[in-house]
Amino acid sequence: MLYDPDDLLCCGSVSNFNTRTAEDWLSASEIGEQIVPNPSRLAVGISKSGKPSAHCRDATGQRKYIVIESDEENQSFDDKASIIRYLRDEVRADLKMVVHSAGKSLHAWFKSSGNHNTDWEFMQFACKLGADRRMWLPEQLARTPNAIRGKSNLRQKCLYFDPS
């Protein structure tokens, strides 16, 4: 519901990725624990090391979502949730989904404004509140909602979803 049926999505695990349309992923038996929130423009691109890869900046398309995530040890789970709520309610960012990583973090998916500068200012502000700067990278992985997390065998629960 977050993607158009023909959007190419890069999904998988730490070392094994595949790119398929959103519609094709619906019938897949396993999507994988991680997803690139921004649809791909190519099924396979060329990585910085010059090798073909489904998970690389060259393959990633236009930004669709900004994922805010924090592994800050000095922030409680409630602190992280409060920051997400603040960004949604006070900053008026368009929150679409929150995924619990089945670990210590929440992945909050905000809809991109479509303007690089506006999105960058939003990300910079979120980073001042404790967000991980790496999540700005368009090809950066986020946790897949309702997928099983690797060896822990725990479900990465979708805690909030706004399909509008």
Side-chain angles (χ1 to χ4, degrees), residues 1-9 20-28 31:
M1 292 168 65
L2 293 172
Y3 298 99
D4 295 331
D6 59 343
D7 279 346
L8 283 174
L9 303 179
R20 299 179 186 171
T21 65
E23 186 172 42
D24 288 342
W25 279 117
L26 286 175
S27 62
I31 292 177

Side-chain angles (χ1 to χ4, degrees), residues 21-109:
T21 65
E23 186 172 42
D24 288 342
W25 279 117
L26 286 175
S27 62
S29 60
E30 182 63 34
I31 292 177
E33 65 183 292
Q34 298 177 324
I35 182 172
V36 176
N38 303 303
S40 298
R41 66 181 189 87
L42 303 168
V44 176
I46 303 299
S47 70
K48 290 181 181 180
S49 64
K51 297 180 180 173
S53 176
H55 175 233
C56 64
R57 187 166 301 170
D58 181 49
T60 306
Q62 184 176 10
R63 186 179 301 279
K64 190 166 191 167
Y65 298 101
I66 302 167
V67 177
I68 302 301
E69 181 266 343
S70 173
D71 285 332
E72 290 287 326
E73 295 292 333
N74 62 347
Q75 288 181 339
S76 70
F77 191 80
D78 287 344
D79 290 339
K80 293 170 186 176
S82 294
I83 289 168
I84 293 167
R85 186 178 56 209
Y86 179 83
L87 292 170
R88 183 194 68 190
D89 296 348
E90 301 301 323
V91 177
R92 302 279 188 225
D94 190 3
L95 180 63
K96 292 298 176 189
M97 182 169 61
V98 178
V99 177
H100 183 270
S101 69
K104 58 187 173 184
S105 66
L106 296 172
H107 288 229
W109 292 47

